[in-house]
């Protein structure tokens, strides 16, 4: 199975929490949204390790995907780090991790509606 990881944006904590509740109720795809108050590789690695165990993903492959993203997208990481600092303490940096097949299905379902 192949995985994908990307930083999506900044969200107020309460909004992210409400969205997570809705997604958990209706989402059975292998896609997980992560919110952290720090923009660091270590923080997101801990988050994906937890998500991987919950989803029965290959932890080593998911971790490798996150590290590759971090190494190959330094400008994006730096951009979101600045935006998170500008947003203040009551905001989170949101990322998405999942298997590519499920993410593709999710996008296709959006286009078919």
């Amino acid at each position: 199975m192949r995985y994908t990881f990307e930083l999506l944006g900044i969200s107020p904590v309460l909004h992210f929490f409400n969205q997570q509740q809705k997604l958990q109720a209706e989402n059975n795809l292998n896609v997980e949204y992560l919110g952290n108050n720090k923009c660091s590789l270590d923080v997101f690695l801990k988050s994906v390790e937890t998500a991987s165990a919950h989803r029965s993903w290959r932890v080593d492959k998911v971790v490798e995907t996150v590290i590759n993203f971090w190494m190959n997208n330094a400008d994006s990481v730096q951009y979101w780090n600045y935006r998170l600092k500008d947003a203040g303490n009551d905001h989170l940096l949101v990322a998405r991790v999942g298997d590519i097949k499920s993410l593709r299905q999710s996008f296709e379902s959006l286009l078919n509606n």
Side-chain angles (χ1 to χ4, degrees):
M1 190 177 309
R2 291 181 34 211
Y3 300 96
T4 181
F5 175 87
E6 59 189 312
L7 298 174
L8 299 176
I10 307 297
S11 173
V13 173
L14 188 57
H15 180 74
F16 179 76
F17 177 76
N18 288 333
Q19 289 301 111
Q20 283 291 85
Q21 296 300 315
K22 289 179 188 177
L23 286 172
Q24 287 177 354
E26 60 192 44
N27 184 5
N28 59 2
L29 296 174
N30 277 329
V31 176
E32 189 81 29
Y33 292 88
L34 311 168
N36 287 301
N37 60 355
K38 292 182 182 176
C39 180
S40 77
L41 178 58
D42 291 343
V43 170
F44 277 103
L45 287 178
K46 287 179 186 175
S47 294
V48 298
E49 287 173 352
T50 302
S52 297
H54 175 70
R55 298 265 186 185
S56 300
W57 291 338
R58 289 195 49 197
V59 176
D60 59 331
K61 293 294 186 185
V62 178
V63 166
E64 180 182 323
T65 300
V66 175
I67 291 171
N68 286 339
F69 175 88
W70 223 262
M71 298 299 288
N72 295 321
N73 296 284
D75 290 342
S76 177
V77 171
Q78 185 176 18
Y79 172 82
W80 288 116
N81 188 33
Y82 290 141
R83 298 293 70 77
L84 182 61
K85 287 178 183 176
D86 289 343
N89 293 335
D90 58 341
H91 288 77
L92 301 172
L93 176 57
V94 179
R96 178 179 55 219
V97 63
D99 75 80
I100 291 178
K101 182 179 177 184
S102 289
L103 190 58
R104 185 177 296 127
Q105 289 173 346
S106 175
F107 289 151
E108 288 173 359
S109 70
L110 289 172
L111 294 174
N112 291 331
N113 288 335

